[in-house]
Amino acid sequence: IYFSCLSLFAKEFNVAVSEIEGEIHPDNFQYLTPVFILIQLHETLFLKNKDGLSSNILSSYESNHDFSSYKLCLKENIFYSKGKIVTIKDIEFNLRNFEKKKYMLIGIKGIKVQENCLNINFQGSYYGFAEETQLIRTAIVDPTTINDTIPIGISPYKIVKYVKNSLMVLDVDKHFKQKLKYQRINIHVLGRDKISIDQLKKFDEINLLSPNQLPSEKELLTYFEKHMVFDLVNTYLLLNHKDAEVRRLIKNCLDRKTIATAMGINIRKIMDYYTPEAISKQAPFKQECVKIKPIKKTTKVSFIYYWDKRFVDEIQKTLKVSLEKYNLIPIVRHTKKENAIKIFESNDKDY
């Protein structure tokens, strides 16, 4: 569950997590909390936003007509988080590393360095190159730290303190001159115990907690109405469908802003995980829905909703409008929070 409150003028941003699973390394992209931290510490070649793809690292990028070759040019004065400048040879090294780890679907035929640009030839048409190199596992890292437990990435932030199962502190490095909204990000590890409203008030964001850790529904609703805004991922709406294509379609093509409005949530401003490229921007609510075809056979999809029962009919109608063009028929069933907890923590699910 994700939610965050507005803290518009704070110099420090406080995040609560249940745990930090595994290493803080781009290869550890299976767990959401490490990914949340990695996004603060790294940049990828490309970024996905409401307008499509962009880049904070590249000054320009282009491809030939069949996407078998690309030209990438590096911006000047791009720095790793400890002040070392990024070179075009670093980008080449990282691309070779992605190929070695099979993070790119098409192999590299050859790379030529031309001043501050790379000319890359692939072994075939590679339409999805930019899409695949916007994933956090393809973060650009300092080649000299590639084998470190926590490699150095491109970011204004660096880890200055890490007490396992307790606290991680990220500070803006002195080389970064641009003024950021938050000079420090404190990531507090709460464990799996139940938390109170008073504890919630100490944090700007609660990141990934199990429903059974949260206070009562009445307390939460009162507090949310006064203090909280939501980043809707699957918040209070559980989906368990065995067809991977159905899950992929819903994940990428469901208009979360519309659903959040149907749930009666007052959305004022949501920031994209407070990443360097979006420190002061409003994040898109909807992921890019590209090249996803409707399901061939009309399919019923069950959603389990465990928030305010008053919104069930409106959510049902809204989901229908969003999904029927993909041949999906949504069925929303309301349940109590206790039942949702059992579903959420059950091994008998595949989401």
Side-chain angles (χ1 to χ4, degrees):
I1 294 173
Y2 302 84
F3 48 86
S4 57
C5 69
L6 295 176
S7 182
L8 295 180
F9 304 105
K11 291 184 179 179
E12 295 191 10
F13 190 80
N14 289 287
V15 182
V17 301
S18 292
E19 61 183 329
I20 298 174
E21 312 98 323
E23 304 295 345
I24 310 303
H25 193 290
D27 288 343
N28 185 21
F29 55 86
Q30 301 96 331
Y31 299 103
L32 292 178
T33 299
V35 167
F36 167 80
I37 297 168
L38 287 166
I39 289 172
Q40 320 311 318
L41 297 171
H42 294 275
E43 287 280 358
T44 51
L45 280 178
F46 294 94
L47 304 167
K48 184 182 282 189
N49 55 40
K50 62 183 178 181
D51 299 316
L53 289 165
S54 62
S55 178
N56 284 337
I57 296 175
L58 304 174
S59 60
S60 65
Y61 45 91
E62 57 188 54
S63 70
N64 64 351
H65 70 284
D66 69 348
F67 303 99
S68 62
S69 67
Y70 288 77
K71 183 177 182 179
L72 312 179
C73 296
L74 181 64
K75 286 182 179 179
E76 294 183 358
N77 298 318
I78 299 293
F79 293 91
Y80 293 110
S81 61
K82 290 192 176 180
K84 183 180 175 182
I85 197 160
V86 181
T87 70
I88 195 66
K89 293 294 287 183
D90 291 351
I91 305 298
E92 180 184 8
F93 174 91
N94 276 269
L95 286 170
R96 296 284 189 187
N97 187 51
F98 302 155
E99 180 186 34
K100 181 180 176 182
K101 291 180 176 179
K102 301 191 185 313
Y103 289 165
M104 300 192 303
L105 290 177
I106 308 294
I108 296 172
K109 188 175 181 180
I111 299 180
K112 289 184 179 180
V113 177
Q114 184 182 9
E115 296 181 344
N116 217 32
C117 299
L118 290 180
N119 292 302
I120 312 163
N121 290 313
F122 288 102
Q123 293 173 2
S125 180
Y126 198 177
Y127 178 82
F129 170 64
E131 285 276 341
E132 287 175 13
T133 50
Q134 54 89 25
L135 301 174
I136 196 61
R137 67 184 185 182
T138 60
I140 301 299
V141 303
D142 179 351
T144 63
T145 68
I146 191 72
N147 295 317
D148 291 359
T149 303
I150 303 179
I152 304 301
I154 300 169
S155 170
Y157 293 106
K158 64 180 181 181
I159 299 174
V160 295
K161 183 177 181 180
Y162 184 22
V163 181
K164 196 169 183 180
N165 299 323
S166 177
L167 177 68
M168 178 179 285
V169 180
L170 313 181
D171 269 359
V172 174
D173 190 77
K174 61 184 179 182
H175 81 274
F176 193 79
K177 305 303 181 186
Q178 180 184 342
K179 187 176 180 181
L180 294 182
K181 185 175 291 186
Y182 303 106
Q183 293 298 111
R184 170 173 289 183
I185 300 174
N186 300 308
I187 300 167
H188 304 264
V189 182
L190 298 185
R192 294 287 178 178
D193 295 335
K194 194 174 181 71
I195 61 175
S196 66
I197 289 291
D198 286 337
Q199 283 178 292
L200 286 182
K201 292 177 183 178
K202 297 177 183 178
F203 303 109
D204 299 293
E205 178 170 312
I206 308 295
N207 183 279
L208 197 67
L209 296 179
S210 174
N212 66 337
Q213 291 184 265
L214 299 174
S216 73
E217 203 163 305
K218 185 177 179 181
E219 287 179 295
L220 279 173
L221 187 58
T222 302
Y223 187 65
F224 289 160
E225 286 177 346
K226 291 180 179 178
H227 300 283
M228 296 282 177
V229 294
F230 288 72
D231 177 4
L232 198 76
V233 180
N234 277 328
T235 310
Y236 306 113
L237 200 60
L238 300 181
L239 165 70
N240 188 19
H241 199 281
K242 295 189 182 299
D243 189 327
E245 281 302 304
V246 169
R247 296 199 308 273
R248 177 170 170 261
L249 190 152
I250 290 171
K251 177 183 176 183
N252 286 282
C253 300
L254 190 61
D255 187 336
R256 291 178 177 82
K257 183 176 181 180
T258 303
I259 298 302
T261 303
M263 289 171 67
I265 297 168
N266 178 25
I267 299 178
R268 290 162 285 178
K269 184 177 177 65
I270 296 175
M271 291 160 59
D272 187 15
Y273 283 138
Y274 307 91
T275 56
E277 74 273 7
I279 284 290
S280 59
K281 297 178 184 177
Q282 182 168 334
F285 286 94
K286 188 177 180 182
Q287 296 182 31
E288 196 75 12
C289 185
V290 179
K291 287 195 166 183
I292 297 182
K293 297 179 180 178
I295 302 299
K296 290 181 180 179
K297 185 179 178 182
T298 301
T299 304
K300 291 182 179 180
V301 181
S302 295
F303 291 86
I304 299 167
Y305 174 62
Y306 59 101
W307 190 241
D308 195 322
K309 196 172 184 177
R310 293 173 297 172
F311 301 122
V312 171
D313 290 342
E314 190 61 34
I315 291 169
Q316 175 86 43
K317 292 176 187 174
T318 308
L319 284 170
K320 183 180 178 183
V321 170
S322 293
L323 297 176
E324 63 182 357
K325 58 190 170 186
Y326 301 107
N327 293 330
L328 297 180
I329 302 174
I331 299 171
V332 180
R333 178 169 63 87
H334 185 267
T335 189
K336 293 182 179 179
K337 190 176 78 170
E338 307 85 71
N339 295 330
I341 290 168
K342 292 177 184 177
I343 295 166
F344 189 85
E345 297 188 335
S346 169
N347 290 323
D348 184 27
K349 64 179 187 298
D350 59 353
Y351 57 83

